[in-house]
Amino acid sequence: MKLFSMRNLHLWHRWLGIALGVLVLLWFISGVVMLFVAYPKLTPEERLPRLEAINTGLVHVAPAQVASMLGGEPDRLRLTMLSGRPLYHAFYQDQWHAIWADNGDKLSVGPEIISASAQAFLPGASMRNMELIERDQWSISSSLNVYRPLYRVTFSSGDVLYLSSHTAEVVLDTSRSERAWNWLGSIIHWIYFTPLRFDHHQAWRQVVMWLSFPATAMSLIGIWLGIDRLRLRRRYKGGRMTPYRGWTKWHHISGLLAGMLCVTWLFSGWISMKPFDMFAGRKLSAEESQHWAGSPHWPLPALPAKMDATDKIGEIEWIYFAGKPILLGLAQHRTWMLDAESGAPLAPFATSAFATQASGMLAGARVKAVTQLEHGDRYYYGKRLEAVSPVIRIDLDDASATSYYIDPATTRIVVSHDNRSRTYRWLFAALHRLDFAPLDNAEIPRWIVVILFSIGGTILTAAGMVMGWRRLTRA
């Protein structure tokens, strides 16, 4: 077909390169930055050490009273301390509510309480400004929607905290250097500009999809043309393997060396947008979550006057497993699982208890295998998940081959997979992040490989841009 003649392929490659070259170059550079500086978020390692130790002796309001004040049973219930007073955080009707646990009054969030919470998070820091916002460049994540609007508190040091207008808790922190590096990293890489990403999410998704797809086609064509022009036996004049010189030679050689990884990165970036809903990660359904928790028995028992945990507990959450209420005490270095009535530490549940509860998760599905994983497997791996290890994997015999990964220290399902999510793992994570053996749990070797190929991709793209500029200026 004339459309796919060598001449037309050259034209397609040239003009796609002229149109998309700058963006692909920025993707290579920003990808390296993202190895070392992530998009701002509040991690447990940042949050937990800054929480006040809970004084259970000050709690005089029972969970049943919280439910009565809200007009119904909350989906989640937590307890923290604020300015030396215990405070309930209740998630009810898709919104967080805060109620003082010493007198039952609703928390009135204003500048004074926000200032106290922010200063407790960054003691000694000089506060410069405070304002109520809906969102900005750093707070556009949908995970923050349940806390909006947010108080943005700026410090002289350049640190910025975002606090919920419902609960006065810090939900996001950023530093000056983190924000600066992200302009060269995540924002460019994800095309993460506030008006497009937040106000027009579907439009943003389409923009990323239909930039990465033609870029993938451009790279595939380039590899085909590069191989066609390569001569290993009947070499060009002077014994050269390439007919090109100068920037064109750099483009040809670097394309042969790094071109295939360029294709896989661009293709997996397109896959990350889940085009046509072909592949996706798996999330627990409401029915699965409800079955795992069992039938909650309200009212929840009142908080024990004493908890036998040796660490400073900064947050307590009431959860259920198989109908049994449990207290999770969050400390800096571990999570305590405590009896909801006595406050005594609970022994880990037997593996058989998790298997029994999982047997009814999906209609008609039975438990096929139960495995304890000390260091994860190909679908549960990497530095991001080291905090919850070991885990117990429960495999079902349903048509989608569903698996659940359970943290025995908390009874929670930390992730679940089926055939679609496993395919997505290989097409996105494996190709885009090089998360495959032997690099998946070897962070530094993976960084080295990524950086080396990114240098090759940068040379490839920069040389192509020079060629494109010369072509445009000559035309």
Side-chain angles (χ1 to χ4, degrees):
M1 294 176 61
K2 278 192 174 183
L3 180 65
F4 298 108
S5 66
M6 294 303 292
R7 172 174 171 73
N8 282 336
L9 289 177
H10 273 282
L11 291 174
W12 276 107
H13 184 66
R14 174 189 299 161
W15 292 108
L16 283 172
I18 289 172
L20 299 171
V22 174
L23 181 61
V24 175
L25 176 65
L26 292 174
W27 274 338
F28 279 118
I29 296 171
S30 60
V32 172
V33 174
M34 289 173 66
L35 287 175
F36 306 100
V37 184
Y39 197 74
K41 67 177 180 179
L42 182 64
T43 65
E45 292 77 18
E46 294 171 318
R47 176 176 178 264
L48 291 176
R50 292 179 166 91
L51 295 176
E52 296 181 54
I54 291 178
N55 185 344
T56 58
L58 298 177
V59 177
H60 304 303
V61 177
Q65 294 172 262
V66 175
S68 178
M69 292 181 62
L70 295 174
E73 301 164 1
D75 299 314
R76 291 181 62 188
L77 186 66
R78 300 183 286 120
L79 180 75
T80 62
M81 298 288 287
L82 179 59
S83 300
R85 298 175 62 188
L87 183 68
Y88 281 115
H89 303 264
F91 191 68
Y92 179 67
Q93 294 184 342
D94 298 324
Q95 185 176 316
W96 282 104
H97 303 263
I99 297 169
W100 290 112
D102 52 4
N103 63 10
D105 291 341
K106 184 176 181 181
L107 174 67
S108 178
V109 180
E112 185 176 346
I113 202 76
I114 289 295
S115 176
S117 182
Q119 293 286 3
F121 193 90
L122 292 177
S126 175
M127 190 183 302
R128 193 176 67 188
N129 187 45
M130 178 193 303
E131 57 186 322
L132 186 65
I133 64 169
E134 187 63 27
R135 83 299 188 254
D136 64 6
Q137 180 64 57
W138 313 107
S139 59
I140 57 180
S141 171
S142 59
S143 65
L144 298 176
N145 289 348
V146 294
Y147 300 105
R148 300 185 198 277
L150 304 172
Y151 279 95
R152 180 173 60 196
V153 180
T154 306
F155 292 83
S156 299
S157 61
D159 292 308
V160 179
L161 299 180
Y162 297 80
L163 296 90
S164 169
S165 61
H166 305 298
T167 64
E169 62 187 320
V170 176
V171 294
L172 176 66
D173 67 331
T174 77
S175 65
R176 180 182 284 122
S177 63
E178 188 178 44
R179 295 192 299 275
W181 280 110
N182 264 274
W183 283 108
L184 297 175
S186 299
I187 293 175
I188 290 175
H189 202 80
W190 295 335
I191 315 180
Y192 230 41
F193 301 101
T194 308
L196 181 63
R197 175 64 178 85
F198 189 88
D199 297 328
H200 306 284
H201 176 78
Q202 285 304 317
W204 165 79
R205 180 171 172 267
Q206 294 296 323
V207 166
V208 177
M209 273 202 304
W210 297 111
L211 286 174
S212 53
F213 184 77
T216 303
M218 172 192 70
S219 299
L220 278 172
I221 295 171
I223 289 175
W224 179 263
L225 296 175
I227 293 174
D228 179 70
R229 288 288 187 169
L230 181 67
R231 288 188 184 177
L232 298 177
R233 292 185 178 180
R234 297 176 56 194
R235 299 196 175 190
Y236 295 98
K237 187 177 179 180
R240 292 180 291 115
M241 293 183 292
T242 173
Y244 305 115
R245 298 179 184 275
W247 283 105
T248 310
K249 177 182 177 180
W250 279 104
H251 186 69
H252 188 202
I253 299 301
S254 59
L256 291 170
L257 295 175
M260 186 51 68
L261 198 66
C262 182
V263 170
T264 61
W265 274 341
L266 292 169
F267 172 74
S268 56
W270 178 64
I271 288 292
S272 73
M273 292 293 104
K274 304 174 180 65
F276 315 115
D277 295 321
M278 290 186 298
F279 309 108
R282 188 182 191 278
K283 294 182 179 180
L284 291 180
S285 67
E287 292 75 19
E288 287 174 289
S289 298
Q290 184 175 0
H291 179 90
W292 188 255
S295 300
H297 301 293
W298 275 83
L300 285 170
L303 192 69
K306 180 184 178 183
M307 294 183 296
D308 300 327
T310 57
D311 295 322
K312 180 198 85 171
I313 292 181
E315 180 175 279
I316 294 172
E317 182 170 1
W318 282 258
I319 68 167
Y320 274 94
F321 170 66
K324 177 181 175 60
I326 298 169
L327 296 179
L328 289 185
L330 275 64
Q332 182 176 355
H333 299 296
R334 65 169 293 184
T335 297
W336 290 86
M337 192 162 57
L338 307 168
D339 185 88
E341 295 185 354
S342 68
L346 288 174
F349 285 86
T351 302
S352 58
F354 296 126
T356 299
Q357 200 65 10
S359 62
M361 293 285 277
L362 299 176
R366 295 177 300 177
V367 173
K368 183 173 63 175
V370 180
T371 310
Q372 179 159 324
L373 304 172
E374 295 297 329
H375 303 290
D377 60 13
R378 287 287 166 244
Y379 302 98
Y380 183 87
Y381 59 93
K383 186 177 180 181
R384 297 177 298 281
L385 300 172
E386 285 176 359
V388 281
S389 184
V391 292
I392 295 170
R393 187 186 70 209
I394 298 180
D395 302 318
L396 303 186
D397 65 357
D398 62 309
S400 298
T402 302
S403 297
Y404 300 105
Y405 294 77
I406 297 107
D407 176 11
T410 64
T411 76
R412 283 179 163 157
I413 298 174
V414 290
V415 71
S416 66
H417 279 296
D418 59 13
N419 288 332
R420 288 184 73 209
S421 66
R422 291 187 192 95
T423 302
Y424 180 74
R425 176 260 187 273
W426 290 110
L427 291 179
F428 172 63
L431 295 181
H432 208 71
R433 299 173 180 157
L434 303 189
D435 276 341
F436 51 80
L439 300 175
D440 46 359
N441 281 310
E443 200 77 350
I444 293 178
R446 188 170 67 89
W447 287 350
I448 293 172
V449 172
V450 170
I451 291 170
L452 288 176
F453 275 105
S454 295
I455 292 172
T458 300
I459 295 171
L460 166 68
T461 314
M465 288 174 59
V466 172
M467 294 161 55
W469 175 253
R470 289 175 175 175
R471 178 71 186 185
L472 289 174
T473 52
R474 187 170 69 231

